[in-house]
Amino acid sequence: EELFSVGPFATAPIWQSGAGTGNVAAARAQAVQAELGYRRTVLQALREVSDALISTDKVREIIAQDEVRVSATGEVLRLQRMRYRGGVVSYLEVLDAERQFFDAEIELARAKLDQLRAYVELYRALGGGWSDEELQRVMDAVANRSKA
């Protein structure tokens, strides 16, 4: 009895009854799931950038309107002061014009603060690298500076 062999021995099942097919299907499903997650992340990032751009445009329009309002109320105040000096109106009307002027200035300052916040959001949406905690700290610092 002679033993004869050629090459190394390898053992592999000849019949697996579909076990490999299941692994391939699972791998394909994981790949599809990863692709969908990637697409969702990209779409979310695009939405955040779009929202930030829209916000900056809206704030820019509000600032333009507030600047017109400040200018108009400043002119009304100037005229009321002239009318008061001329004895045409009471000082109460001058005070009312001052209140309107100061309200307009405060709204303009708030709009400018909103513009800075919108720029920060745009920077973050474009990958500025700030975490939510860092962003909140910056927003708080800007808000505290504007109150002073």
Side-chain angles (χ1 to χ4, degrees), residues 10-48:
T11 59
I14 296 175
W15 182 261
Q16 293 181 359
S17 68
T21 307
N23 291 338
V24 170
R28 284 185 181 149
Q30 288 174 344
V32 167
Q33 184 178 12
E35 179 184 356
L36 292 175
Y38 173 77
R39 286 183 181 201
R40 182 177 47 245
T41 302
V42 168
L43 289 174
Q44 176 70 22
L46 289 174
R47 186 180 67 78
E48 287 177 5

Side-chain angles (χ1 to χ4, degrees), residues 120-139:
V120 169
E121 282 297 325
L122 177 61
Y123 178 75
R124 187 177 130 198
L126 290 172
W130 285 342
S131 68
D132 288 338
E133 295 82 25
E134 290 171 319
L135 182 62
Q136 189 60 47
R137 245 191 343 260
V138 168
M139 296 257 194

Side-chain angles (χ1 to χ4, degrees), residues 50-135:
S50 176
D51 289 349
L53 287 172
I54 289 169
S55 179
T56 58
D57 283 346
K58 286 182 179 179
V59 170
R60 195 175 301 124
E61 291 172 9
I62 291 170
I63 287 174
Q65 292 170 0
D66 285 347
E67 286 173 343
V68 169
R69 183 173 173 225
V70 166
S71 177
T73 56
E75 182 63 17
V76 167
L77 177 58
R78 185 184 71 78
L79 293 173
Q80 289 293 61
R81 285 180 178 160
M82 285 176 51
R83 293 176 73 201
Y84 173 72
R85 279 187 227 116
V88 178
V89 296
S90 70
Y91 195 67
L92 185 59
E93 291 183 45
V94 174
L95 291 176
D96 187 49
E98 284 181 344
R99 182 191 53 79
Q100 290 176 9
F101 177 70
F102 294 144
D103 285 346
E105 283 188 324
I106 289 170
E107 287 304 314
L108 178 60
R110 284 184 183 148
K112 288 182 178 182
L113 176 62
D114 289 343
Q115 183 180 40
L116 293 175
R117 287 180 176 161
Y119 286 148
V120 169
E121 282 297 325
L122 177 61
Y123 178 75
R124 187 177 130 198
L126 290 172
W130 285 342
S131 68
D132 288 338
E133 295 82 25
E134 290 171 319
L135 182 62

